[in-house]
Amino acid sequence: MSDPQAHLLVVDDDERIRSLLQKFLIRNGFLISTARDAAQARRLLDGLEFDMIVLDVMMPGEDGVSLTRSLREDLATPILLLTARGETSHRIEGLEAGADDYLAKPFEPKELLLRINAILRRVPSARPELGPKVLHLGDVRYDLERGELWRGTEPVRLTATEAALMRIFAAQPGEAVSREKLVGDLGRDDSQSQERAVDVQITRLRRKIEVDPRQPRYLQTVRGSGYMLAPD
């Protein structure tokens, strides 16, 4: 059952789709606000906090990928992109821009609901501090209890998917985690395209951890085995 307090922002230029999604998601326990374009979405985001944004890629004016990239400069709210089927380049571009997941149109409403709930489950919940449990990654440190990444005294913003990856790796530092396991733990379908999506998320996470993401020291690729977090 969905959290009845979760507030979602649905952004789509098609009024019919906005209305259908709003009615469906409200029936499944969500509070829904809608926007017809990026400009209206920005106005809503200036005044309200949302638990998640469901965002169409192909919109007149500023498209969904550009909006995602802009929002990621100071917003960690999970973003699910809705893309036209076959737009592989757009899906990868969206993930690189900071989206947490994507869903190709046309889609079954139930699949959208499953994706939304899977993403919301990845969002770190606030937990009381039980003691200093920190992994050091050079100038970066990761607080296991709080699920927070810091560079010096500055917090490093993580998307819901990046936070989920950090929790997975931090639970078994120094051990390789296969791409297949990462796909499963992130609640994604088991497919080659989803493994590619995980690779994109790893690349983004490295940019926030590594001094030189092209030569990773802390989030390493283990040939034939997957990825491994190697703290100091």
Side-chain angles (χ1 to χ4, degrees):
M1 187 68 179
S2 304
D3 181 353
Q5 299 302 313
H7 189 182
L8 276 56
L9 174 60
V10 175
V11 188
D12 198 302
D13 64 301
D14 189 316
E15 183 178 358
R16 185 183 67 87
I17 292 177
R18 287 200 311 273
S19 178
L20 289 173
L21 289 180
Q22 183 176 34
K23 292 175 181 177
F24 172 73
L25 293 170
I26 286 175
R27 286 200 306 270
N28 283 276
F30 293 101
L31 177 63
I32 302 297
S33 295
T34 64
R36 63 182 174 273
D37 55 23
Q40 188 178 21
R42 288 181 182 280
R43 289 194 293 271
L44 288 171
L45 288 163
D46 281 342
L48 296 170
E49 290 189 4
F50 294 94
D51 297 288
M52 186 174 169
I53 303 170
V54 179
L55 176 60
D56 186 35
V57 168
M58 299 301 294
M59 296 188 296
E62 185 177 13
D63 64 29
V65 172
S66 297
L67 178 58
T68 296
R69 184 176 294 108
S70 176
L71 292 177
R72 276 293 173 254
E73 293 178 3
D74 56 10
L75 190 71
T77 303
I79 298 175
L80 171 64
L81 291 180
L82 303 179
T83 70
R85 186 176 300 279
E87 292 177 340
T88 303
S89 61
H90 284 160
R91 294 198 294 270
I92 296 301
E93 186 182 7
L95 291 173
E96 291 177 335
D100 293 273
D101 204 351
Y102 58 81
L103 184 59
K105 293 180 176 180
F107 53 81
E108 290 292 332
K110 184 176 181 181
E111 182 178 4
L112 173 64
L113 184 63
L114 290 172
R115 296 277 185 131
I116 288 172
N117 283 326
I119 292 173
L120 290 175
R121 283 196 297 270
R122 300 176 208 161
V123 179
S125 57
R127 284 181 285 176
E129 188 172 3
L130 301 178
K133 294 186 178 180
V134 177
L135 294 180
H136 292 276
L137 311 164
D139 294 335
V140 175
R141 68 183 188 280
Y142 178 69
D143 188 317
L144 284 79
E145 294 297 331
R146 296 178 178 269
E148 296 174 345
L149 196 67
W150 293 78
R151 184 181 297 278
T153 59
E154 295 296 320
V156 178
R157 292 181 180 274
L158 296 174
T159 66
T161 302
E162 291 165 354
L165 285 171
M166 283 302 302
R167 289 200 302 274
I168 294 168
F169 288 124
Q172 42 195 326
E175 297 181 19
V177 183
S178 69
R179 296 162 81 208
E180 293 81 3
K181 186 177 189 310
L182 290 173
V183 168
D185 287 351
L186 290 174
R188 300 176 183 268
D189 299 327
D190 186 13
S191 67
Q192 188 173 8
S193 64
Q194 292 295 349
E195 289 188 11
R196 168 60 180 148
V198 167
D199 292 340
V200 172
Q201 302 285 0
I202 293 289
T203 298
R204 284 174 35 202
L205 186 55
R206 279 173 170 161
R207 292 176 188 149
K208 298 182 179 182
I209 292 176
E210 305 286 353
V211 174
D212 183 358
R214 292 170 298 181
Q215 297 182 330
R217 157 68 179 85
Y218 298 105
L219 186 47
Q220 301 176 4
T221 299
V222 181
R223 187 177 299 275
S225 298
Y227 298 102
M228 177 181 71
L229 188 68
D232 292 329

